[in-house]
Amino acid sequence: MLRADGMTVQARLSHGVAEIVLSFSLPMEDGIRMKGAGPGVSAHFIQLVQVSHNGHQVLEAHLSTGTASDPQLVFYVAEAKAGDTVSVTWHDNKGHSGRYAMTLT
């Protein structure tokens, strides 16, 4: 398990298939919730997650305000082997982003 830019990445390799688990630490605020009598809580959510396996895109997820807080994405990559590279990039609606690359073992 590795942590990078508000995201935890886990990977398991078994019989040529990699299970990748991305866990994000983000409240995924929709901009509707009120904070007492003051102004509401501003929207803050992940908009885009892209994943590549050895330079070839294998996942593109467009998220929005309907996504639960601290979301987790689980997906599988076929024809994976030790030494392959998995890269993850994400962007949120406030201009923040994160990037991480790992080598499968």
Side-chain angles (χ1 to χ4, degrees):
M1 177 172 26
L2 302 164
R3 293 187 185 277
D5 297 323
M7 170 179 60
T8 301
V9 181
Q10 295 177 320
R12 290 182 204 86
L13 186 57
S14 178
H15 305 291
V17 177
E19 178 187 58
I20 311 293
V21 179
L22 306 177
S23 300
F24 295 91
S25 297
L26 194 68
M28 301 295 282
E29 289 289 348
D30 60 10
I32 298 172
R33 188 167 64 93
M34 299 302 292
K35 188 190 302 184
V41 177
S42 65
H44 190 193
F45 56 92
I46 296 171
Q47 288 183 308
L48 178 65
V49 179
Q50 295 174 309
V51 181
S52 297
H53 172 238
N54 290 335
H56 301 286
Q57 186 169 312
V58 295
L59 174 78
E60 181 172 288
H62 296 265
L63 307 177
S64 68
T65 60
T67 305
S69 63
D70 300 326
Q72 185 177 66
L73 298 174
V74 180
F75 60 96
Y76 299 87
V77 177
E79 300 178 18
K81 61 186 180 308
D84 286 359
T85 301
V86 173
S87 303
V88 180
T89 304
W90 63 268
H91 303 275
D92 70 13
N93 68 310
K94 291 190 173 190
H96 301 108
S97 63
R99 180 174 299 209
Y100 183 74
M102 67 182 301
T103 302
L104 297 176
T105 57

